[in-house]
Amino acid sequence: MAKDLVRTRRYVQKFYQMRTQLQAVGLRIQTLRSNQQMADAMRGATRAMASMNRGLNLPAIQRIMNEFERESATMDMKEEMMSDAVDGVMEDDMEDEEEEGDKILQQVLEEIGIDVSQKLGEAPTALHAAATPIANKKQAVALGGDDLPSTSGGDNGG
């Protein structure tokens, strides 16, 4: 009975070893199949690349690319010329609009009786304002401007 028990344990151990070996063989077969599929895929890709290379006419493609470059340069020049022409027209229109706006402003000022050149001549200059002492000189103070440097003396150089 003890001999049977020892023999049975050896058989069980051998079965485990055989099962492990069979699993290893199965993994090797699976690896070989994967390698075969990879080789087939590479063969197909190689055939496709060879077919593309045979159908590729390099001088013709180079001619096409040179022609494309020439046409692109021509189109860029035409675009630049059109842009310059449009800019020239737009500048003329802007000048005309500005002159028309000045005329309308002058008409409105004349209608309400203001002569701009006369009023500008009477306006005080910076030298005249600085020479005249003002008793209650007011200074603007910025709110929430703590990060600005403060000025002392009240005169901001103007």
Side-chain angles (χ1 to χ4, degrees):
M1 184 117 176
K3 289 183 182 181
D4 288 337
L5 183 63
V6 170
R7 197 175 318 142
T8 305
R9 285 186 181 167
R10 277 191 213 150
Y11 288 143
V12 168
Q13 189 177 11
K14 285 183 181 182
F15 282 132
Y16 282 141
Q17 287 176 348
M18 285 185 356
R19 186 176 74 179
T20 304
Q21 288 175 353
L22 286 174
Q23 286 175 342
V25 169
L27 289 174
R28 285 182 184 165
I29 291 172
Q30 185 178 1
T31 302
L32 289 174
R33 284 182 186 160
S34 297
N35 287 341
Q36 182 63 38
Q37 289 175 349
M38 179 72 76
D40 291 342
M42 290 175 68
R43 185 179 308 120
T46 303
R47 287 179 185 158
M49 288 180 1
S51 172
M52 291 295 293
N53 284 335
R54 279 192 301 272
L56 202 64
N57 187 354
L58 200 56
I61 291 175
Q62 190 172 10
R63 272 195 315 273
I64 291 169
M65 292 304 291
N66 287 338
E67 185 178 338
F68 176 80
E69 185 179 359
R70 245 187 344 268
E71 293 300 325
S72 179
T74 303
M75 194 161 105
D76 287 344
M77 286 189 293
K78 287 180 181 179
E79 181 181 352
E80 187 175 335
M81 289 171 45
M82 290 296 292
S83 178
D84 290 344
V86 168
D87 288 346
V89 168
M90 294 303 287
E91 287 176 5
D92 291 344
D93 289 346
M94 294 286 279
E95 290 173 5
D96 292 343
E97 289 176 10
E98 190 174 317
E99 289 175 9
E100 187 176 331
D102 288 345
K103 287 179 184 178
I104 292 173
L105 178 63
Q106 186 63 33
Q107 288 176 354
V108 169
L109 292 175
E110 286 177 4
E111 286 178 10
I112 58 175
I114 297 178
D115 186 11
V116 177
S117 60
Q118 178 187 5
K119 295 294 180 187
L120 289 179
E122 296 174 4
T125 62
L127 293 176
H128 178 68
T132 307
I134 299 176
N136 292 330
K137 193 173 204 179
K138 295 182 181 179
Q139 180 179 358
V141 178
L143 297 176
D146 294 338
D147 58 342
L148 297 176
S150 61
T151 58
S152 59
D155 190 12
N156 289 336

